[in-house]
Amino acid sequence: MAKYPFLPEASKFMRELGIKISDLGKPEYRFILDRAENRIEGAILFGTTGDKSPKDDVEIPSFPIAVILVAATKNSLIRKRYALAEAKRISDLLKSEDKEKIIRIAGTFNWRMRPKARTTSTICDFTLHYTDFLKCAPVFHDKKWKLVNRQMSEGAVCLTVHEAARLLEEEIRRHIEKKLEIDVVSLPEAVMSRVSLLAQLFKEKRVVPSDKPSGEIVTSAFPPCIANLHSEIASGRNVSHIGRFALTSFLINIGMTTEEVMNLFKSLPDFNERLTRYQVEHIAGDRGSRTQYKPPRCDTLRTHGVCPSMDVMCEGVRHPLTYYRRKLRNVQRKPPI
Amino acid sequence: MDSVSAKFIHDRFSDYYRINLSTIQPPSAIEKREFGFILFKERMMVRHKAFRTVERLRDFLKEIVPSDAYYSSAYYELPEEKMEAKGRLGTDLIFDIDADHISTPCQKTHDRWICRGCGHNSKGLPPETCPSCGYEKFEEKSWMCEICLDSAKNETIKLIDFLMKDFGYSSEEIDVSFSGHRGYHVSVEKNEVHALDQVARREIVDYIIGIGIEPELHGLSERPERGTRIIAGPSLDALGWRGRIARGTYELLLSSAPQDLRNMGIKPKTASAISKHSERLLRSWKDEGPWSVVRDVGAESWMKLALYGVEKESAKIDTVVTTDIHRLIRLENTLHGKTGLKKAKVAATSIEGFDPFESAVAFKKGTAKVKISSAPQFRLGDESYGPYQNETVELPTAVALLLLCKRRAKMV
Ligand code: SF4
Ligand SMILES: [Zn+2]
Ligand SMILES: [Zn+2]
């Protein structure tokens, strides 16, 4: 329970403790607050969650309290970082758990996961229903996470323990990140000052210089040229230099983070982490000149063969970004079948 | 279209909806679906319609007599609102298999395209750009021939196999129908698919078409064993894509001459080694598979062959339709405006013997006299008709209607 503080038992335990937010400033909660703060510091500084407290009545409540503190920073980057650190911690634990435990945790997210015995021809510890698999797997760009490369029968996808832990990590990360979106109205002053210290710490340590929120990326509103490049890259095919440039600058301009763009390129056969990062950061303006690049105009893309086939919306448009913004405004619909 | 022909078509559609109204069945959760109709008069789409009951839907059909009727694959909180305000609750998993997306040898003989820019025209499917003026818009004149529809049916059969064996749906959970024109529609309405997002649907599409497949991840590999390197691969009866890769490659070897293999990029030496040992290769399949029978065939060649095997086994679905979560789909047992045939349901288990030219015929009585500009030979029901070239013929209603709707004929 102390290990998996998002499980229903942990919430019950919390209710029994009966902690009120307005009481958090009181001295008896100091240890819990300390541990909560320690979790967040760990996440900010090292991407971990600090050292576990040996006392359950400190360790368990420290998680929901940390959630409140992080939410109170109202900083989406701290939220992301904290959710990731907690999810990583849990996924590392899961890798050494027995199958029943993993299945129980998957069950709390309504995943249809079943145990399976390995055979000589298959390495399969679990099966997971494909609809559950597809909730998280597509964010990983490695080819082995594509459904077409999985062993599947009767809707059940084979997974190893490691893979199951990795998938759950992503689900838990999202789950925690959602929890962190709660609106924290008022905290006792003593607690609030801890929150500002944490926010301060984050500002100083921050590695990602970009301040703009990573907006929601609506792939269905991509112009044909970008959609094409995007799916080529995502399926691991190589594209021309101008193609890469157009795609990267487009994605950065519509609010993707450098990290997210990097992830996309990871599936390329000739992926070179250092070089790609350099290029992406350069385009994003994180580096060198600090100017953020815009994608080329349509006529340039056309002469370089990056404009595959225009659709109706392309006709009144000279720039792929204009296309995207227009299409976002009116969710266009395709003809019936 | 001349007004006499237009009136004839409209009158027949009107008869159809009067007489067959009770065959119109509601899609599941009818009150959450959006409906759309194309009107004869203005050739305009009326959309954002909703009906609380099937009776209201039927009344509407009878009254307005649309040339085409559609419902949404999506469920909405407020189906009559504008797109942004509908509040999508979920979407069925749908597939479209259209003869237009499958290349058949006969396309060249019965399909034509005409450039909207300069009027240049030629046979087959239209090119990307017009070779004479560079324009990109074309008028397409396609025909629904038996060979084309048969290949669409074959793809549909493969799709159903995927949905049953790999995705685990029973034949009752898979709705299949002939679209009334050039293809088949398949849908799964089970709750579990409703929440799948576009990325997830794209993954399903890639699975069924075999896009991004890596035979290595399905066990095809070269590994050292007792001092030599041997090739190991999936077995014929393996589940999922493993078995499909094996069976596809097997079929490929059965049906390919050395020249075919060379066309697939296999080196001449390897190609002749394969055909020299074809007997042994095919026999070996009974037990451990052919993967390491012939010494001259290396891992690289097997990879190539396996990908051609994948191509054989994949089902050629339209990729855009499945990933679109707002698509409108033709309503079952309504008429297709381009043919006068109806969209006809077929049980997933009996599609093999399904005859679209029989089951989709909506009119069994009466005749009409039409002047036909041109039409290839075709069959409807048990009779064969044509070819026609500038002639006036008295034909059964369904046949006349088909030619009128396809704009190959006029009323006289
Ligand atoms: S016209 Fe412009 S936006 Fe449209 S596909 Fe071509 S380059 Fe992209
Ligand atoms: Zn032309
Ligand atoms: Zn044909």
Side-chain angles (χ1 to χ4, degrees), chain A residues 85-311:
Chain A
E86 287 286 353
K88 272 247 157 354
R89 175 182 69 82
I90 292 162
S91 135
D92 285 343
L93 287 172
L94 284 179
K95 283 173 192 158
S96 51
E97 292 285 6
D98 55 27
K99 288 192 189 177
E100 279 80 275
K101 184 82 191 178
I102 296 180
I103 287 175
R104 259 200 56 224
I105 291 178
T108 62
F109 299 107
N110 295 321
W111 283 14
R112 287 183 271 172
M113 196 187 261
R114 315 242 176 289
K116 247 202 128 196
R118 290 190 181 202
T119 65
T120 45
S121 63
T122 63
I123 307 167
C124 191
D125 299 314
F126 301 103
T127 65
L128 176 64
H129 194 265
Y130 86 92
T131 52
D132 298 325
F133 177 82
L134 289 179
K135 277 178 198 144
C136 292
V139 305
F140 308 139
H141 290 288
D142 192 282
K143 286 176 190 134
K144 75 164 186 181
W145 288 106
K146 272 191 83 60
L147 189 63
V148 71
N149 286 322
R150 307 305 304 190
Q151 254 187 286
M152 173 164 77
S153 89
E154 308 270 308
V157 178
C158 279
L159 293 176
T160 64
V161 170
H162 257 77
E163 289 167 341
R166 184 71 187 87
L167 270 183
L168 275 169
E169 174 186 328
E170 176 61 19
E171 179 76 29
I172 291 165
R173 190 191 63 73
R174 291 182 196 186
H175 172 81
I176 295 175
E177 208 174 300
K178 238 202 228 105
K179 278 196 170 187
L180 295 174
E181 274 163 18
I182 45 163
D183 229 352
V184 179
V185 203
S186 67
L187 288 176
E189 207 160 316
V191 182
M192 219 34 227
S193 70
R194 289 189 189 232
V195 171
S196 5
L197 277 178
L198 287 168
Q200 187 64 34
L201 176 71
F202 180 73
K203 242 197 203 138
E204 284 158 15
K205 271 313 277 191
R206 190 171 55 166
V207 268
V208 203
S210 157
D211 239 345
K212 64 177 174 301
S214 93
E216 207 204 334
I217 311 293
V218 182
T219 48
S220 59
F222 283 4
C225 49
I226 300 295
N228 213 23
L229 293 166
H230 186 252
S231 69
E232 294 275 298
I233 297 264
S235 58
R237 278 189 281 265
N238 263 323
V239 307
S240 64
H241 276 295
I242 172 116
R244 283 193 199 204
F245 176 79
L247 180 64
T248 307
S249 52
F250 180 90
L251 295 174
I252 297 278
N253 272 280
I254 63 170
M256 246 200 200
T257 61
T258 312
E259 224 42 52
E260 286 163 334
V261 177
M262 285 291 295
N263 269 333
L264 183 62
F265 283 107
K266 275 200 182 117
S267 56
L268 289 182
D270 64 347
F271 178 72
N272 173 329
E273 164 117 35
R274 252 190 40 234
L275 188 65
T276 310
R277 178 175 301 279
Y278 181 84
Q279 290 170 342
V280 173
E281 287 181 351
H282 186 74
I283 292 170
D286 298 348
R287 217 182 247 280
S289 62
R290 300 215 140 251
T291 43
Q292 186 177 311
Y293 287 86
K294 289 244 176 298
R297 298 153 47 100
C298 291
D299 43 13
T300 317
L301 291 176
R302 226 168 281 141
T303 38
H304 286 274
V306 181
C307 170
S309 59
M310 296 164 53
D311 64 14

Side-chain angles (χ1 to χ4, degrees), chain B residues 8 367-375 378 384-397 399-401 403-404 408-412:
Chain B
F8 179 82
T367 59
K369 212 169 187 186
V370 290
K371 181 164 192 293
I372 306 163
S373 56
S374 86
F378 63 98
S384 175
Y385 303 91
Y388 299 112
Q389 195 72 44
N390 287 319
E391 50 200 294
T392 302
V393 201
E394 172 139 11
L395 291 168
T397 307
V399 182
L401 197 60
L403 292 167
L404 289 167
R408 304 284 185 132
K410 280 187 182 142
M411 286 301 286
V412 289

